[in-house]
């Protein structure tokens, strides 16, 4: 197999694959991206985009548009659900000396994907092939080939490198025989979306977390199709119940009423159920194949970190592939990619997303009191609040990996 075609191939046109294509395309590299769907999926997944990620999206000129179609949210809150008490409020303004983006932007991931797709249209060196599914991967010393099923049948495409950004069930990861160790939570997470205005009626802010030993909840605002926007509420579900039982009209209404009692029935515009995992791929590099986004790591959504990590993978990888292909840098840089991004996935995102869940669902009264008191103390102390937000916003993670060098790569 010869590297006749210097393309970078990308499997998966979710937000991570698209962002990688944009960054590589802007550097003048030839990119061919395949996605099995005809357009970005519109289900209610990521919205929260943290400061560390906004820094990268800002370099690509996306932040202004994301703010326009989304919501700028500097504050988030922790509530104790049984007592209805506001425990702590964190304002990203304490990060104004650390970042140009001392806030998160709540922008639904399909909108971000759409914004990127529009920019890709202006790059003749980037080809987006929707309705094309990558089914096989093979590589030699100097090229990688993918077999792709599309509307006109099966085709083979060769490139210099392949980015597997094809989501949690990644075909690329399977084809490369890369282990995806970790675990699956027994409870699925249900997302119920309603136009009910929790800010006006309850004083909740656009990112509100509720600790409850019985049933925790996250409550988020997204701008949807424009004002007044929609609120997404997220809960754990009973593993013994079937999807039909969890998703019935009665069940979803009862869940919302139990959590947020209201005189009138809730309007529920979407209901979605997700199996949730905590897994990290054993390696993010396999020769000429690189994994990014959910193909490389998955986690529960509390704290909104999965896609943020994926965007950061894409930026890190695009910079290194550019250095290798355009500037003649050693391809050991791609091992540094593996080292840096696996460190973020394991030391930051896995650890924090599990800790976030533990904090919200703690049952032991002593532990609950300790957790909530500690949150109050952190929020009341600007220096500790800043440290807390540096981690929550993934700025600390980005700084940690920026300090890693090729000397730390073995071999
Ligand atoms: C309820 C919920 C809330 C969340 N909230 C947040 C949040 O607030 N912030 C955050 O950072 N993260 C959040 N996440 C996580 C976030 O949704 C994911 O991390 C994100 O979707 C990962 O993007 P991706 O591009 O890697 O993968 P995906 O979005 O899964 O995209 C993968 C793409 O690959 C395509 N594909 C798959 N297989 C193939 C193939 N063989 N060939 C070609 N194409 C293929 C698919 O069609 C898809 O378009 C949340 C997740 C859930 C479930």
């Amino acid at each position: 197999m010869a590297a006749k075609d210097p393309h970078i191939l990308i499997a998966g046109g979710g937000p991570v694959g698209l962002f990688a294509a944009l960054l590589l395309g802007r550097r003048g590299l030839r990119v061919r991206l395949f996605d099995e769907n005809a357009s970005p999926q519109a289900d209610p997944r990521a919205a929260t985009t943290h400061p560390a990620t906004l820094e990268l999206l800002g370099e690509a000129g996306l932040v202004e548009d994301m703010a326009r179609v989304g919501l700028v949210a500097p504050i988030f809150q922790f509530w104790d659900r049984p007592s209805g008490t506001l425990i702590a409020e964190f304002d990203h303004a304490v990060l104004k000396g650390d970042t140009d983006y001392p806030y998160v932007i709540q922008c639904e991931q399909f909108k971000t994907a759409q914004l990127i797709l529009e920019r890709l249209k202006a790059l003749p060196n980037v080809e987006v092939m929707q309705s094309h599914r990558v089914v096989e991967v093979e590589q030699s010393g100097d090229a990688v080939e993918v077999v792709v099923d599309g509307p006109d049948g099966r085709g083979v495409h060769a490139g210099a490198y392949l980015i597997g950004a094809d989501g949690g069930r990644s075909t690329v990861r399977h084809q490369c025989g890369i282990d995806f160790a970790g675990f699956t939570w027994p409870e699925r997470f249900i997302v119920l979306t309603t136009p009910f205005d929790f800010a006006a009626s309850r004083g909740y802010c656009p990112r509100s977390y509720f600790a409850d030993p019985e049933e925790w909840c996250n409550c988020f605002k997204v701008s949807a199709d424009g004002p007044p926007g929609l609120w997404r509420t997220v809960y754990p579900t009973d593993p013994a119940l079937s999807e039909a039982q969890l998703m019935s009209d009665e069940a979803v209404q009862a869940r919302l009423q139990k959590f947020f009692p209201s005189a009138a029935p809730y309007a529920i515009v979407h209901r979605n159920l997700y199996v949730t995992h905590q897994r990290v791929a054993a390696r993010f590099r396999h020769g000429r194949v690189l994994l990014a986004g959910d193909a490389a790591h998955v986690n529960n959504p509390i704290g909104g970190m999965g896609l943020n990590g994926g965007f950061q993978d894409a930026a890190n990888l695009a910079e290194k592939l550019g250095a290798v292909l355009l500037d003649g840098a050693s391809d050991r840089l791609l091992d540094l990619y593996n080292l840096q991004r696996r460190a973020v996935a394991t030391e930051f995102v896995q650890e924090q997303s599990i800790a976030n869940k533990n904090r919200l669902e703690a049952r032991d009264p002593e532990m609950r009191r300790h957790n909530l008191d500690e949150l109050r103390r952190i929020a009341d102390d600007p220096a500790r609040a800043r440290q807390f937000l540096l981690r929550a916003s993934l700025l600390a993670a980005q700084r940690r990996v920026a300090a890693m060098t090729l000397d730390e790569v073995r071999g």
Side-chain angles (χ1 to χ4, degrees), residues 201-220:
S201 64
R202 306 276 184 142
Y204 303 157
C205 79
R207 288 179 68 213
S208 299
Y209 296 91
F210 295 83
D212 186 337
E214 299 292 320
E215 190 183 40
W216 53 263
C217 175
N218 300 337
C219 185
F220 293 106

Side-chain angles (χ1 to χ4, degrees), residues 316 320 332-341 343 398-411:
N316 186 311
K320 290 181 169 62
R332 287 185 66 233
L333 269 184
L334 304 176
D335 294 326
L336 182 59
Y337 165 76
N338 170 66
L339 188 76
Q340 290 176 319
R341 297 311 305 168
Q398 285 291 81
R399 288 176 185 177
R400 155 98 175 89
V401 299
M404 289 177 160
T405 64
L406 266 180
D407 297 339
E408 294 176 56
V409 176
R410 263 178 288 154

Side-chain angles (χ1 to χ4, degrees), residues 10-18 34-37 39-41 43-50 106 109 132-135 165-172 189 191 220 232 234 274-276 292-295 297-301 303-310:
I10 301 179
V16 172
L18 290 170
F34 309 96
D35 195 281
E36 64 182 352
N37 288 312
S39 59
Q41 300 303 285
D43 65 321
R45 289 195 279 158
T48 303
T49 315
H50 289 292
Q106 295 284 101
Q109 70 180 63
H132 283 77
R133 175 172 170 73
V134 172
V135 291
D166 49 346
R169 295 184 191 149
S170 173
T171 301
V172 173
F189 288 20
V191 184
F220 293 106
R232 294 176 177 173
V234 188
Y274 294 96
V275 177
T276 305
D294 275 19
H297 44 75
V298 285
N299 56 274
N300 81 68
M305 295 188 162
L307 178 54
N308 279 272

Side-chain angles (χ1 to χ4, degrees), residues 331-401:
D331 79 343
R332 287 185 66 233
L333 269 184
L334 304 176
D335 294 326
L336 182 59
Y337 165 76
N338 170 66
L339 188 76
Q340 290 176 319
R341 297 311 305 168
R342 274 200 92 251
V344 172
T346 53
E347 293 169 29
F348 287 84
V349 175
Q350 291 296 318
E351 198 186 297
Q352 277 189 77
S353 56
I354 292 172
N356 288 343
K357 182 169 181 289
N358 289 343
R359 182 162 42 212
L360 293 188
E361 70 190 3
R363 283 174 179 246
D364 175 58
E366 271 300 298
M367 180 57 76
R368 264 174 60 69
R369 203 169 20 253
H370 168 80
N371 288 345
L372 301 183
D373 285 349
E374 182 64 359
L375 275 175
R376 272 193 202 97
R377 282 193 290 266
I378 297 172
D380 288 346
D381 176 342
R384 290 189 73 195
R386 175 174 165 265
Q387 289 303 329
F388 183 83
L389 285 173
L390 282 172
R391 270 185 81 79
S393 66
L394 291 169
L395 285 165
Q398 285 291 81
R399 288 176 185 177
R400 155 98 175 89
V401 299

Side-chain angles (χ1 to χ4, degrees), residues 75-99:
I75 290 172
F76 68 98
Q77 297 172 336
F78 284 97
W79 293 76
D80 180 40
R81 215 279 301 180
S83 65
T85 321
L86 176 63
I87 300 295
E89 185 167 280
F90 289 92
D91 187 343
H92 284 77
V94 297
L95 298 181
K96 60 181 184 298
D98 297 286
T99 177

